[in-house]
């Protein structure tokens, strides 16, 4: 298992380098320029100067190599400095956002908490509602509960989050006035009152996202449980005189979760990627919003860095899913 | 008094294509310490009969329509699901056909053996573990304590089947039902298991139902044999009787089809032509009539009842369900 | 023998498929529903002959026509420019349904091809799966922007602006959404490849290409169908996002996705503007899903025989 | 069967089939599963060679390597004059019609989504280029030959019983008029009453078409019935090859003896009397076979020499080849 | 009393990226920055300069502006201190100039400091700005929210290439304004506290300010007018129905001020045909086959009902206009000829131009060519409605119209590689909004000079979007830049405005768009200002109790 992991990590390096290059070229090649949100009142020669100051006029390969160096060398040094109070970086140039002139990693640091809390909670809640629904649907296949579950899951897929999000806002904020529409990223949970506030502001985005996630995962769970219910070992467990709940929740579930857990693991990078639409609707300003904002103004360093981190996460979680598979299923042995 | 007595069992599957009458009016009994062999071709209802006994059939399609299953004199078919559950694994042990898939791949062997011990006998973890080691040693798995912590996939087929037997024996059941326990195994391993069962019977003295299609296996271990065809018991006899004085045309044909290791080699194998019956609808005629060399008009009109051959009470000696009477001198022993 | 030879004319298996399909109540209901939707968008405009983009040029009259509630003249009311919503729904449905279906086909085609190749040819596996990772990691928006920039004029000059845009959108959506199905198909093929009937085909001397076409592909149908039904929903929604970004159809082309997006803005004042397109999309997706379910059963001879 | 008619159709020489094991960081080749290790035998034209042995001993691998479904690691397989082990891809394709295979699991070896006609017709599509009508006619002829009703042509495999499915598999194998058919446990998955039908069919076909079979099975009674000569395999190697009757009457190799003794007899009298040789322990892993004789870990008659020296298959009695130090004294083994 | 009114919550749906106006110049950044950093003088709601850090506005009369108009002298207030307590000196002002004109700095407000020869500091409170040539309007440097004064001590290390890496100064600048930044989250939220060193001890009334970003205009308006979560929301440009509905809620009101922002259509004077080789499309090499005819342009303009556009798209936030320069009042030409739609007149003009519907298909043609226009703009709901409406009117006129909408990031991005930028203008007509900074329209009008035509040779970077080129216009502009006398200047500006609009119709102004923000009823003291930052008088804002 260990050598498998190491080997996969080693092969991931060239893959990721290639991915980073492709992303860089792609983002660079895309139309649009970092000047698009500069007012038209700013004359062309000034725009030209601003581009030069960002280094945006350099050849693309030069910028790519610089980014590589910054990402893999300078930024880790700053990371070490931040943790140990050393000064290895010695003021080397960090990756700086073209739009805000702030180091991209600072932006990521600022945005990570809200993305993780909202999208992460939503994912967790989604999984927590999806599992029982999926299990019960399979256990009572073709019952009305199962039919309703199918319908619910399909509706969850087909209704976009911008619709459900706005609907919730209209009902719970505008009409009823119960919940805030704007997410306060500066809120720190220190006591019950602030915890209550946090819960209130998370309620709607978490609901919207959780429903969306739950729809998909409940489907996977259902089919996986269905498959396992027909297995011989289930009959063995019953023949041993186990209660139905033991049979279902111990024997069947453990096996059914193997594929589901990997699906969940593969879905996790999206948690870090943020939920672009939902973040926008509820003004959460997480990583998703950062990425989309940066794309809109062609803030190449930010787009590149964020996207590359997502790529790393995707590759990592692919690996984690494989390893999880190996851990959960004793039959699978890597190497 | 028999440990297990089944009377008039009837099991039906509700399918999209209509009802499948998989078990029709099956009655038999099992004496303490006896090994009852059940043979019959695939689909004849052997497994369904046994699973009906303890409610292991999935309930939307399957439905036990009629019958009594008396375990120690008490009808367990009328028992509540919870009571039935307490019978399963504790008083009736079950070994299934395919050792590769019958064990849960994600739990250790030890955990799976200990489960019934803890549920039915209320043992502590340590006690259960000790008993599990004992059981594994009983079924001949060396180094048992270490093996408890391994997973089924680390065992060979024969060892897995032994584990299944260990699980079935865990709570010292009165009855052990083995549904084709060696079909998937190699001859050499099958020989090991058969040897083991003989040994265990002597040691533990429980009653066993042994399902198989292999007449050779039956010949080696059974006391009494039941032949099933089309969801019915067509013949029932002590093992020697059955092999030497088969009465039912199906039994006779079956005995002829198998090549023998010893003796003369046949130039050509005998076959039973035709297809097994489709079990749709309650039987009104003999299920074997279409393939029967001796079939006559009555076979079409009426489903034969079991009748004693040797004068003993029905179910205790040799009986057959056939309208045709075999000539006395004829014997399958060539 | 003679009567036997007559009765074995290779009978159309589609008949059997259809017969089985009809057994599936949900699928039949869904088929009827989808049929109704298709009828609505295809035949509807022939019966309801109002130009979906018609705006009354006389401003005084136009102002009277704006934001009308449902009436006899406009069964679903009119929008903020006095355009007939029913006509827009019908016209928009044509595009949305077409985009959804074709884009899904494109995605499934790419996904299946890559999945099959990766699963079947060991050597290609690593490379193709890394390729899939790459696509998963690529940011969608710049990718679409680049595609549109590079190809829109070229395709438009060859196929004309309408068809060109359509093709490009469909390709763009397809190219960016095949990864999931590729993964699923690959997994399935890896297992299928070891099945004995594939070995049997090899022992006959069937070349790989035909083994794939004849033995592998028909057997990965069911995961592909699942991916396909989900793909339609995703494609319809993605199209609306594309329009929203100006990457889709010209702004005077209503599609369900765009109507939905536009409707969101007036959800407070005229909630029905969201409901109609939302309903249409959801119904399409639901019915396609159920049809997929039925089709999966019907195409599987094992189930069909029951 | 006259001695003069004996012409080897298949000659296998030193066939090895190793499945490599890769391990470590760099996926280095660190060992092999020696599924078939140095196997040689002939199959004569028109005869049936039975191949028996425990599960996992390499029977199927031999069969598949013979047909070049696996590319052998080493050795030659000469079938009807051509060395199949080294033929080029296209030449192999041309050669395929002469050699065919019937598979163990009739369910798994038929594509569930193809009709019977399509399955049987597939080899014709690939090799004959017949027009559709003729092809269909040929399919019907084949179905007649294997005793399938022509009306079933448009059915799917799942609509058949196991025996019928196996007939479909056999019809497919016959489609191209092969000379040599590898039957890989063709009856293992079938019900007893149906096994007989299939075996009879195979025998009839052999008589009518002059086929040569390699009949793989672990059902020793059935092998006794159908085979002319029998090879007993253990852990990738051949322990004994003998004419059928000799083997069953007097197995020379201890493994063959044990194997035969384990077969249950459908006769309570004899079953009661028999003494079985119960082998102890498990089969060693083919990735790590024991030193010396393969069977030395379980052999009831094991001698010290067995742990050191690998016995070589030699003709111990006329027509009987055995690899055992008991039978063939050590001086004739490889060490000498 | 300072800090007595608690928290002020402001929503900028486009979130703040930086507090340093010299690095971004996005309106949102400039305006929020103005809470902290101040210029020497700002503009009031009427566009008049009012002193901020200086004692008075220098003029010719008071001698602050040299008679030859080549220099201007500013006198800083006495006792002025930065929020860190150090005194504000003329060195800081001079440094600001150096900062923005550093060649490697990429200063976004470079235009404000153009033409300056030197900035001298005779004493700590006096700043003398000397120009290279006489400046009839010498107030560009150091005025308005776009040209605030930076603290030299804080920014000394941030000159030139280092500007971008000065994260702390850029996000938490030390200023003289009523507030100081306490927390800054990029593109998300800025939290400010009252500046205890602010020169007016009674102000500001609010103790803290939260400026939150995210969402869109509708959500922003809703948060003030419907849910009451915020006190003030910037740029709440929503459609008129929603305006009325939200105002009916009674929680707040919309505030509005008209400035120079005009939604307009540009007519392409060059041929954008894709048939032309790349590099010649939309260049002066090929005049537009149809739009070169002034009658067509006029007819197209006459077919538009500007009032209807306002009623549908802007409501209170806009008004119809025929001018490119609608304000300040002195410069606004009194031309109203276009306000009334005249479809018949338009049709007549078309006929006059030789366009008739000879085949009766409803589309005009001439010499066998149909009259068809490609009409592009950026993606924006209002603009798409405008496109649909105008297409309807032009169809009525007999013109076939094809619509195109482009992602704003691409459209306004100016990427020379993209075919879809508004500068490239690969369309017949295009729509966008334009305005000018401050009150002086001279640089704005100079965009339409012949030598500012975008083309491949200048990487499509010119500002003369419609490729209008008239020597008379160039001459009139030259005269304007040499004229200092206000009434004369006003006349010239009007003339130039009319040359582009009424006389030639190369620019078709549609709507004069105001600044339109939402204000809670609980907030007092807001005076909407379209000439400077909207938050220009945030120090005077207070809580209505
Ligand atoms: N779930 C089910 N639904 C419908 N019919 C069923 C079901 N399970 C079993 N049957 C039918 O019941 C009959 C008896 O099946 P059973 O499994 O008891 O046969 P068997 O004698 O055990 O055969 P085998 O030797 O193959 O195990 C068969 O005809 C089978 O088709
Ligand atoms: N593709 C493969 N890769 C690695 N090892 C293999 C492969 N195929 C077979 N083996 C190994 O080779 C050995 C021989 O396998 P084979 O299938 O030939 O046995 P067999 O005698 O046919 O057994 P059975 O009776 O179960 O069919 C086994 O140990 C098996 O695990
Ligand atoms: Mg069974
Ligand atoms: Mg095999
Ligand atoms: Ni955009």
């Amino acid at each position: 298992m260990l050598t498998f992991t190491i080997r996969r990590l080693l092969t991931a390096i060239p893959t990721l380098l290639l991915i980073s290059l492709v992303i860089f070229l792609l983002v660079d090649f895309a139309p649009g320029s970092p000047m698009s949100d500069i007012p038209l009142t700013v004359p062309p020669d000034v725009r030209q100067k601003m581009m030069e100051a960002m280094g945006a006029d350099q050849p693309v390969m030069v910028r790519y190599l610089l980014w590589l160096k910054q990402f893999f060398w300078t930024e880790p040094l700053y990371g070490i400095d931040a943790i140990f109070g050393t000064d290895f970086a010695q003021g080397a140039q960090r990756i700086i956002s073209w739009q805000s002139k702030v180091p991209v990693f600072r932006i990521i640091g600022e945005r990570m908490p809200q993305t993780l809390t909202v999208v992460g909670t939503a994912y967790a809640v989604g999984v927590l509602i999806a599992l029982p629904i999926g299990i019960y649907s399979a256990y009572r296949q073709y019952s009305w509960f199962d039919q309703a579950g199918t319908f619910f899951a399909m509706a969850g897929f087909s209704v976009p989050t911008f619709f459900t999000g706005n609907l919730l806002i209209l009902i719970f904020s505008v009409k009823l006035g119960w919940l805030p529409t704007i997410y306060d990223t500066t809120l720190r949970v220190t006591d019950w009152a602030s915890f209550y506030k946090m819960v209130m502001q998370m309620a709607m985005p978490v609901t919207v996202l959780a429903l969306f996630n739950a729809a998909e995962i409940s489907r996977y769970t259902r089919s996986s449980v269905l498959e396992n219910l027909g297995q011989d070992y289930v009959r063995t467990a019953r023949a041993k005189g186990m209660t139905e709940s033991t049979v279902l929740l111990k024997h069947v579930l453990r096996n059914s979760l193997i594929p589901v857990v990997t699906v969940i693991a593969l879905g996790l990078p999206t948690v870090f990627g943020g939920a672009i639409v939902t973040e926008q609707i509820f003004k959460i300003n997480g990583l998703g919003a950062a990425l989309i904002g940066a794309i809109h103004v062609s803030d190449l360093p930010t787009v590149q860095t964020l996207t590359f981190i997502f790529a790393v996460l995707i590759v990592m979680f692919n690996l984690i899913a494989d390893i999880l598979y190996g851990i959960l299923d004793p039959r699978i042995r890597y190497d | 008094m028999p440990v297990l007595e089944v009377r008039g069992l009837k099991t039906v599957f509700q399918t999209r294509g209509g009802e499948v009458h998989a078990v029709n009016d099956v009655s038999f009994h099992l004496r303490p310490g006896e090994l009852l062999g059940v043979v019959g071709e695939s689909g004849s209802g052997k497994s369904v009969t046994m699973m009906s006994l303890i409610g292991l059939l999935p309930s939307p399609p399957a439905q036990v329509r009629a019958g009594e299953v008396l375990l120690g004199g008490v009808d367990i078919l009328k028992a509540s699901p919870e009571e039935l559950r307490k019978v399963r694994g504790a008083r009736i042990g079950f070994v299934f056909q395919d050792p590769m898939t019958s064990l849960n791949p994600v739990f250790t062997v030890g955990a799976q053996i200990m489960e019934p011990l803890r549920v039915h006998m209320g043992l502590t973890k340590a006690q259960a573990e000790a008993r599990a080691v004992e059981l594994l040693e009983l079924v001949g798995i060396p180094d048992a304590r270490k093996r408890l912590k391994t997973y089924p996939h680390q065992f060979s087929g024969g060892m897995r089947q032994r584990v299944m037997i260990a699980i079935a024996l865990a709570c010292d059941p009165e009855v052990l039902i083995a549904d084709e326990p060696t079909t998937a195994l190699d001859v050499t391993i099958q020989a090991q298991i058969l040897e083991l069962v003989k040994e265990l019977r002597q040691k533990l003295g429980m009653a066993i139902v042994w399902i198989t299609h292999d007449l050779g296996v039956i010949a080696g271990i059974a006391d009494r044999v039941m032949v099933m065809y089309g969801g019915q018991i067509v013949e029932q006899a002590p093992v020697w009787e059955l092999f030497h004085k088969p009465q039912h045309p199906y039994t006779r044909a079956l005995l002829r089809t198998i090549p023998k290791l010893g003796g003369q080699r046949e130039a050509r194998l005998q076959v039973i032509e035709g297809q097994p019956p489709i079990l749709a609808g309650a039987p009104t005629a003999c299920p074997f009539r279409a393939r029967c060399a001796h079939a006559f008009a009555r076979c079409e009109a009426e489903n034969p009842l079991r009748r004693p051959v040797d004068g003993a009470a029905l179910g205790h000696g040799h009986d057959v369900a056939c309208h045709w009477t075999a000539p006395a001198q004829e014997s399958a022993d060539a | 023998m003679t009567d036997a030879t007559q009765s074995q004319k290779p009978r159309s298996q589609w008949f059997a498929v259809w017969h089985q399909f009809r057994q599936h109540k949900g699928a039949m209901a869904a088929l009827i529903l989808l049929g109704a939707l298709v009828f609505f968008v295809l035949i509807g405009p022939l019966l309801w002959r109002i130009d979906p983009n018609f705006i009354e040029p006389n401003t005084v009259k136009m102002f009277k026509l704006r934001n009308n509630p449902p009436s006899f003249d406009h069964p679903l009311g009119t929008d903020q420019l006095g355009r007939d919503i029913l006509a827009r729904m019908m016209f928009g449905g044509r595009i949305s349904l077409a985009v959804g279906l074709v884009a899904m086909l494109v995605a499934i085609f790419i996904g299946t091809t890559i999945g099959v190749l990766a699963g079947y040819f060991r050597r290609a596996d690593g490379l193709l799966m890394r390729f899939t990772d790459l696509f998963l990691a690529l940011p969608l928006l710049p990718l679409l922007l680049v595609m549109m920039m590079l190809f829109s004029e070229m395709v438009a000059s060859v196929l004309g602006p309408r068809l060109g845009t359509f093709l490009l959108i469909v390709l763009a959506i397809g190219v960016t959404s095949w990864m999931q199905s590729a993964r699923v198909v690959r997994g399935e093929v890896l297992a299928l490849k070891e099945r004995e009937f594939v070995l049997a085909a090899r022992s006959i001397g069937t070349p790989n290409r035909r083994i794939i076409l004849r033995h592998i592909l028909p057997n990965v149908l069911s995961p592909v169908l699942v991916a396909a039904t989900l793909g339609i929903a995703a494609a319809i929604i993605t199209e609306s996002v594309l329009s929203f970004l100006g990457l889709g159809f010209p702004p005077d082309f209503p599609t369900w996705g765009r109507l939905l997006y536009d409707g969101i803005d007036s959800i407070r004042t005229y909630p029905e503007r969201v409901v109609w397109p939302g309903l249409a999309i959801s119904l399409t997706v639901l019915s396609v899903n159920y049809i997929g379910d039925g089709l999966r059963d019907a195409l599987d001879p094992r189930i069909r025989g029951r | 069967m006259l001695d003069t008619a004996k012409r080897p159709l298949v000659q296998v020489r030193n066939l090895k089939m190793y499945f490599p094991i890769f391990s470590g960081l760099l996926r280095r080749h660190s060992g092999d599963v020696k599924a078939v290790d140095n196997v040689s035998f002939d199959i004569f034209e028109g005869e049936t060679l039975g191949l028996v042995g425990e599960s996992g001993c390499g029977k199927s691998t031999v069969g598949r390597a013979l047909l070049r479904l696996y590319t052998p690691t080493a050795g030659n397989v000469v079938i009807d004059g051509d060395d199949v082990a080294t033929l080029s891809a296209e030449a192999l394709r041309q050669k395929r019609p002469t050699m065919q295979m019937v598979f163990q699991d009739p369910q798994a070896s038929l594509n569930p989504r193809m009709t019977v006609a399509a399955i049987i017709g597939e080899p014709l599509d690939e090799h004959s280029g017949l027009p559709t009508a003729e092809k269909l006619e040929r399919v019907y002829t084949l179905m007649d030959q294997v005793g399938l009703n022509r009306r079933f042509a448009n059915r799917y495999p799942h609509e058949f019983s196991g025996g019928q499915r196996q007939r479909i598999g056999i019809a497919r194998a016959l489609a191209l008029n092969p000379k040599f058919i590898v039957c890989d446990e063709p009856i293992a998955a079938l019900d007893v009453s149906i096994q007989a039908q299939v075996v009879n069919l195979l025998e009839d076909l052999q008589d009518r078409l002059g086929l040569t079979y390699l009949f793989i099975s672990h059902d020793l009674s059935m092998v006794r019935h159908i085979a002319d000569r029998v090879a007993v395999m253990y852990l990738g190697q051949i322990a004994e090859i003998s004419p059928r009757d000799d083997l069953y009457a007097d197995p020379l190799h201890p493994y063959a003896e044990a194997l035969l003794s384990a077969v249950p007899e459908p006769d309570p009298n004899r079953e009661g009397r028999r003494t079985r040789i119960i082998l102890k322990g498990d089969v060693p892993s083919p990735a790590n076979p024991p030193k010396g004789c393969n069977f030395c870990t379980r052999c009831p008659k094991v001698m010290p020499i067995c742990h050191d020296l690998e016995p070589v298959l030699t003709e111990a009695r006329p027509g009987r080849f055995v690899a055992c130090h008991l039978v063939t004294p050590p001086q004739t083994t490889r060490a000498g | 009393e300072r800090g007595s009114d608690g928290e002020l919550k402001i929503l900028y749906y486009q979130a703040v990226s930086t507090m340093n106006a010299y690095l971004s110049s996005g309106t949102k950044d400039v305006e929020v920055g103005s809470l902290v950093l101040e210029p020497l003088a700002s503009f009031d709601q009427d566009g008049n300069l009012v002193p901020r850090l200086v004692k008075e506005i220098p003029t010719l009369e008071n001698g602050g502006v040299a008679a030859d108009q080549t220099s201007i002298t500013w006198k800083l207030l006495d006792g002025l201190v930065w929020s860190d307590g150090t005194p504000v000196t003329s060195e800081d002002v001079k440094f600001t100039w150096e900062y923005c004109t550093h060649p490697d700095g990429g200063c976004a407000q470079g235009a404000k400091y153009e033409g300056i020869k030197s900035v001298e500091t005779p004493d700590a409170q006096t700043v003398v700005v000397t120009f290279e040539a006489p400046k009839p309007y010498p107030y560009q440097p150091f005025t308005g929210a776009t040209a605030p004064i930076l603290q030299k001590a804080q920014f000394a290390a941030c000159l030139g290439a280092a500007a971008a890496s000065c994260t702390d100064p850029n996000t938490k600048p030390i200023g003289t304004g009523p507030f100081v930044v306490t927390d800054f989250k990029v593109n998300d939220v800025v939290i400010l506290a009252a500046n205890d060193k602010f020169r007016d001890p009674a102000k500001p009334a609010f103790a803290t300010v939260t400026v939150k970003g995210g969402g869109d205009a509708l959500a922003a308006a809703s948060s003030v007018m419907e849910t009451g979560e915020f006190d003030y929301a910037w740029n709440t440009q929503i459609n008129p129905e929603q305006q009325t509905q939200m105002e009916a809620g009674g929680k707040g009101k919309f505030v509005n001020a008209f400035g120079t922002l005009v939604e307009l259509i540009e007519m392409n004077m060059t041929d954008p045909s894709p048939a032309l080789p790349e590099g010649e499309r939309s260049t002066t090499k090929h005049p537009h086959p149809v739009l070169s005819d002034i009658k067509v342009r006029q007819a197209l303009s006459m077919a538009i009902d500007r009032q209807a556009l306002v009623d549908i798209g802007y409501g209170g936030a806009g008004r119809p206009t025929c001018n490119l320069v609608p304000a300040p009042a002195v410069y606004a030409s009194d031309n109203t000829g276009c306000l009334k739609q005249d479809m018949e007149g338009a049709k007549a003009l078309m006929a006059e131009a030789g366009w008739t519907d000879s085949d009766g298909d409803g589309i005009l043609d001439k010499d066998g060519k149909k009259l068809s226009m490609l009409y592009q703009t950026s993606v924006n709901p209002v603009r798409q409605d405008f496109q649909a409406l105008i297409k309807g009117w032009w169809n009525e006129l007999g013109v076939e119209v094809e619509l195109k909408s482009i992602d704003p990031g691409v459209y306004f991005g100016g990427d020379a590689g993209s075919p879809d930028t508004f500068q490239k203008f690969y369309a017949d007509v295009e729509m966008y909004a334009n305005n000018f900074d401050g009150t002086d329209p001279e640089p704005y009008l100079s965009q339409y000079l012949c030598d500012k035509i975008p083309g491949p040779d200048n990487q499509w970077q010119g500002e003369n979007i419609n490729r209008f080129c008239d020597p008379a216009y160039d001459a009139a502009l030259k005269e304007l830049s040499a004229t200092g006398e206000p009434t004369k200047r006003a006349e010239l500006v009007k003339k130039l405005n009319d040359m582009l609009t009424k006389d030639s119709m190369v620019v078709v102004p549609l709507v004069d768009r105001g600044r339109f923000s939402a204000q809670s009823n609980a907030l007092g003291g807001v005076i909407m200002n379209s000439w400077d930052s909207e938050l220009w008088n945030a120090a005077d804002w207070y809580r209505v109790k």
Side-chain angles (χ1 to χ4, degrees), chain D residues 2 9 26 31 33 70 83 95 101 106 118 143 159 168 182 197 231 275 324:
Chain D
L2 295 170
L9 180 71
L26 301 169
V33 175
Y70 296 150
D83 186 357
K95 184 82 186 165
M101 185 150 184
M143 290 179 72
E159 297 173 271
I168 301 172
V182 174
Q197 298 175 3
T275 45
C324 180

Side-chain angles (χ1 to χ4, degrees), chain A residues 118-128 213 217 263-265 267-268 270-271:
Chain A
V118 174
V119 191
T121 312
Y123 204 69
V125 171
V127 169
L128 285 182
N213 289 329
I217 295 171
V263 167
I264 293 175
L268 269 174
T270 58
V271 171

Side-chain angles (χ1 to χ4, degrees), chain C residues 57 59 66 244 252 265 268, chain E residues 226 241-242 305 379 391 393:
Chain C
T59 35
R66 294 179 63 210
F244 189 66
D252 52 343
D265 268 350
R268 287 143 216 255
Chain E
E226 287 186 328
E241 287 99 63
Q242 282 162 344
D305 184 343
V379 175
K391 176 179 174 172
W393 292 320

Side-chain angles (χ1 to χ4, degrees), chain E residues 500-528:
Chain E
L500 290 170
T501 56
K502 188 166 72 181
D503 303 345
S504 69
M505 274 302 165
V506 289
V507 175
V508 180
L510 301 173
V511 179
D512 179 10
R513 288 169 51 185
R515 282 192 171 179
F516 196 71
S517 296
Q519 175 209 337
S520 160
N521 288 339
L523 182 66
V526 175
I527 299 174
M528 193 58 172

Side-chain angles (χ1 to χ4, degrees), chain E residues 1 53 156 216 249 267 290 301 456 540:
Chain E
E1 196 192 336
L53 303 182
D216 54 19
M267 302 256 174
V290 178
S301 168
D540 300 333

